[in-house]
PDB file of all heavy atoms in Angstrom:
ATOM      1  N   TRP A 397      17.980  55.411 -32.100  1.00 93.00           N
ATOM      2  CA  TRP A 397      18.194  55.418 -30.653  1.00 93.00           C
ATOM      3  C   TRP A 397      17.172  54.597 -29.889  1.00 93.00           C
ATOM      4  O   TRP A 397      17.367  54.316 -28.704  1.00 93.00           O
ATOM      5  CB  TRP A 397      18.169  56.861 -30.136  1.00 93.00           C
ATOM      6  CG  TRP A 397      19.208  57.712 -30.766  1.00 93.00           C
ATOM      7  CD1 TRP A 397      19.057  58.589 -31.800  1.00 93.00           C
ATOM      8  CD2 TRP A 397      20.596  57.735 -30.432  1.00 93.00           C
ATOM      9  NE1 TRP A 397      20.254  59.160 -32.136  1.00 93.00           N
ATOM     10  CE2 TRP A 397      21.218  58.667 -31.305  1.00 93.00           C
ATOM     11  CE3 TRP A 397      21.375  57.071 -29.487  1.00 93.00           C
ATOM     12  CZ2 TRP A 397      22.588  58.924 -31.252  1.00 93.00           C
ATOM     13  CZ3 TRP A 397      22.743  57.341 -29.432  1.00 93.00           C
ATOM     14  CH2 TRP A 397      23.319  58.263 -30.304  1.00 93.00           C
ATOM     15  N   ILE A 398      16.101  54.198 -30.549  1.00 93.00           N
ATOM     16  CA  ILE A 398      15.053  53.457 -29.844  1.00 93.00           C
ATOM     17  C   ILE A 398      15.124  51.965 -30.122  1.00 93.00           C
ATOM     18  O   ILE A 398      14.483  51.163 -29.443  1.00 93.00           O
ATOM     19  CB  ILE A 398      13.661  53.994 -30.250  1.00 93.00           C
ATOM     20  CG1 ILE A 398      12.626  53.648 -29.192  1.00 93.00           C
ATOM     21  CG2 ILE A 398      13.228  53.438 -31.606  1.00 93.00           C
ATOM     22  CD1 ILE A 398      11.256  54.258 -29.456  1.00 93.00           C
ATOM     23  N   GLN A 399      15.912  51.579 -31.113  1.00 92.00           N
ATOM     24  CA  GLN A 399      15.946  50.177 -31.540  1.00 92.00           C
ATOM     25  C   GLN A 399      16.764  49.339 -30.556  1.00 92.00           C
ATOM     26  O   GLN A 399      17.987  49.334 -30.583  1.00 92.00           O
ATOM     27  CB  GLN A 399      16.527  50.064 -32.954  1.00 92.00           C
ATOM     28  CG  GLN A 399      16.340  48.703 -33.572  1.00 92.00           C
ATOM     29  CD  GLN A 399      16.638  48.677 -35.056  1.00 92.00           C
ATOM     30  OE1 GLN A 399      15.938  48.029 -35.817  1.00 92.00           O
ATOM     31  NE2 GLN A 399      17.676  49.363 -35.484  1.00 92.00           N
ATOM     32  N   VAL A 400      16.069  48.607 -29.685  1.00 93.00           N
ATOM     33  CA  VAL A 400      16.710  47.699 -28.742  1.00 93.00           C
ATOM     34  C   VAL A 400      16.878  46.342 -29.412  1.00 93.00           C
ATOM     35  O   VAL A 400      16.432  46.124 -30.543  1.00 93.00           O
ATOM     36  CB  VAL A 400      15.903  47.593 -27.441  1.00 93.00           C
ATOM     37  CG1 VAL A 400      15.870  48.924 -26.711  1.00 93.00           C
ATOM     38  CG2 VAL A 400      14.486  47.106 -27.721  1.00 93.00           C
ATOM     39  N   LEU A 401      17.492  45.409 -28.707  1.00 92.00           N
ATOM     40  CA  LEU A 401      17.870  44.147 -29.328  1.00 92.00           C
ATOM     41  C   LEU A 401      16.654  43.347 -29.807  1.00 92.00           C
ATOM     42  O   LEU A 401      16.661  42.789 -30.911  1.00 92.00           O
ATOM     43  CB  LEU A 401      18.695  43.317 -28.340  1.00 92.00           C
ATOM     44  CG  LEU A 401      19.440  42.104 -28.907  1.00 92.00           C
ATOM     45  CD1 LEU A 401      20.325  42.511 -30.074  1.00 92.00           C
ATOM     46  CD2 LEU A 401      20.274  41.441 -27.824  1.00 92.00           C
ATOM     47  N   ASP A 402      15.610  43.271 -28.982  1.00 92.00           N
ATOM     48  CA  ASP A 402      14.421  42.512 -29.386  1.00 92.00           C
ATOM     49  C   ASP A 402      13.762  43.120 -30.617  1.00 92.00           C
ATOM     50  O   ASP A 402      13.322  42.401 -31.520  1.00 92.00           O
ATOM     51  CB  ASP A 402      13.420  42.448 -28.230  1.00 92.00           C
ATOM     52  CG  ASP A 402      13.909  41.570 -27.091  1.00 92.00           C
ATOM     53  OD1 ASP A 402      14.390  40.460 -27.373  1.00 92.00           O
ATOM     54  OD2 ASP A 402      13.826  41.996 -25.933  1.00 92.00           O
ATOM     55  N   LEU A 403      13.687  44.447 -30.662  1.00 93.00           N
ATOM     56  CA  LEU A 403      13.108  45.113 -31.821  1.00 93.00           C
ATOM     57  C   LEU A 403      13.993  44.950 -33.047  1.00 93.00           C
ATOM     58  O   LEU A 403      13.500  44.795 -34.174  1.00 93.00           O
ATOM     59  CB  LEU A 403      12.892  46.605 -31.517  1.00 93.00           C
ATOM     60  CG  LEU A 403      12.302  47.452 -32.642  1.00 93.00           C
ATOM     61  CD1 LEU A 403      10.944  46.909 -33.084  1.00 93.00           C
ATOM     62  CD2 LEU A 403      12.176  48.905 -32.205  1.00 93.00           C
ATOM     63  N   TYR A 404      15.295  44.963 -32.838  1.00 92.00           N
ATOM     64  CA  TYR A 404      16.243  44.781 -33.942  1.00 92.00           C
ATOM     65  C   TYR A 404      16.078  43.392 -34.573  1.00 92.00           C
ATOM     66  O   TYR A 404      16.065  43.252 -35.804  1.00 92.00           O
ATOM     67  CB  TYR A 404      17.658  44.970 -33.411  1.00 92.00           C
ATOM     68  CG  TYR A 404      18.746  44.816 -34.456  1.00 92.00           C
ATOM     69  CD1 TYR A 404      18.846  45.701 -35.519  1.00 92.00           C
ATOM     70  CD2 TYR A 404      19.681  43.789 -34.356  1.00 92.00           C
ATOM     71  CE1 TYR A 404      19.855  45.563 -36.468  1.00 92.00           C
ATOM     72  CE2 TYR A 404      20.692  43.647 -35.299  1.00 92.00           C
ATOM     73  CZ  TYR A 404      20.771  44.541 -36.347  1.00 92.00           C
ATOM     74  OH  TYR A 404      21.764  44.401 -37.287  1.00 92.00           O
ATOM     75  N   VAL A 405      15.930  42.376 -33.730  1.00 91.00           N
ATOM     76  CA  VAL A 405      15.710  41.019 -34.241  1.00 91.00           C
ATOM     77  C   VAL A 405      14.414  40.958 -35.042  1.00 91.00           C
ATOM     78  O   VAL A 405      14.357  40.354 -36.128  1.00 91.00           O
ATOM     79  CB  VAL A 405      15.679  40.006 -33.080  1.00 91.00           C
ATOM     80  CG1 VAL A 405      15.234  38.631 -33.560  1.00 91.00           C
ATOM     81  CG2 VAL A 405      17.057  39.914 -32.426  1.00 91.00           C
ATOM     82  N   TYR A 406      13.376  41.596 -34.540  1.00 91.00           N
ATOM     83  CA  TYR A 406      12.096  41.606 -35.255  1.00 91.00           C
ATOM     84  C   TYR A 406      12.222  42.322 -36.595  1.00 91.00           C
ATOM     85  O   TYR A 406      11.731  41.834 -37.616  1.00 91.00           O
ATOM     86  CB  TYR A 406      11.027  42.281 -34.396  1.00 91.00           C
ATOM     87  CG  TYR A 406       9.702  42.452 -35.105  1.00 91.00           C
ATOM     88  CD1 TYR A 406       8.769  41.415 -35.147  1.00 91.00           C
ATOM     89  CD2 TYR A 406       9.387  43.653 -35.740  1.00 91.00           C
ATOM     90  CE1 TYR A 406       7.562  41.565 -35.801  1.00 91.00           C
ATOM     91  CE2 TYR A 406       8.181  43.808 -36.407  1.00 91.00           C
ATOM     92  CZ  TYR A 406       7.270  42.768 -36.428  1.00 91.00           C
ATOM     93  OH  TYR A 406       6.084  42.921 -37.093  1.00 91.00           O
ATOM     94  N   ASN A 407      12.875  43.478 -36.598  1.00 90.00           N
ATOM     95  CA  ASN A 407      13.005  44.245 -37.837  1.00 90.00           C
ATOM     96  C   ASN A 407      13.814  43.487 -38.884  1.00 90.00           C
ATOM     97  O   ASN A 407      13.494  43.514 -40.074  1.00 90.00           O
ATOM     98  CB  ASN A 407      13.655  45.597 -37.556  1.00 90.00           C
ATOM     99  CG  ASN A 407      12.707  46.564 -36.870  1.00 90.00           C
ATOM    100  OD1 ASN A 407      11.488  46.425 -36.976  1.00 90.00           O
ATOM    101  ND2 ASN A 407      13.252  47.525 -36.143  1.00 90.00           N
ATOM    102  N   ILE A 408      14.863  42.799 -38.444  1.00 89.00           N
ATOM    103  CA  ILE A 408      15.671  42.026 -39.399  1.00 89.00           C
ATOM    104  C   ILE A 408      14.868  40.852 -39.959  1.00 89.00           C
ATOM    105  O   ILE A 408      14.872  40.590 -41.166  1.00 89.00           O
ATOM    106  CB  ILE A 408      16.959  41.519 -38.729  1.00 89.00           C
ATOM    107  CG1 ILE A 408      17.934  42.666 -38.520  1.00 89.00           C
ATOM    108  CG2 ILE A 408      17.623  40.436 -39.578  1.00 89.00           C
ATOM    109  CD1 ILE A 408      19.229  42.254 -37.880  1.00 89.00           C
TER     110      ILE A 408
END
Side-chain angles (χ1 to χ4, degrees):
W397 301 99
I398 202 174
Q399 192 168 220
V400 295
L401 193 54
D402 290 314
L403 179 58
Y404 180 65
V405 171
Y406 175 84
N407 286 337
I408 287 181

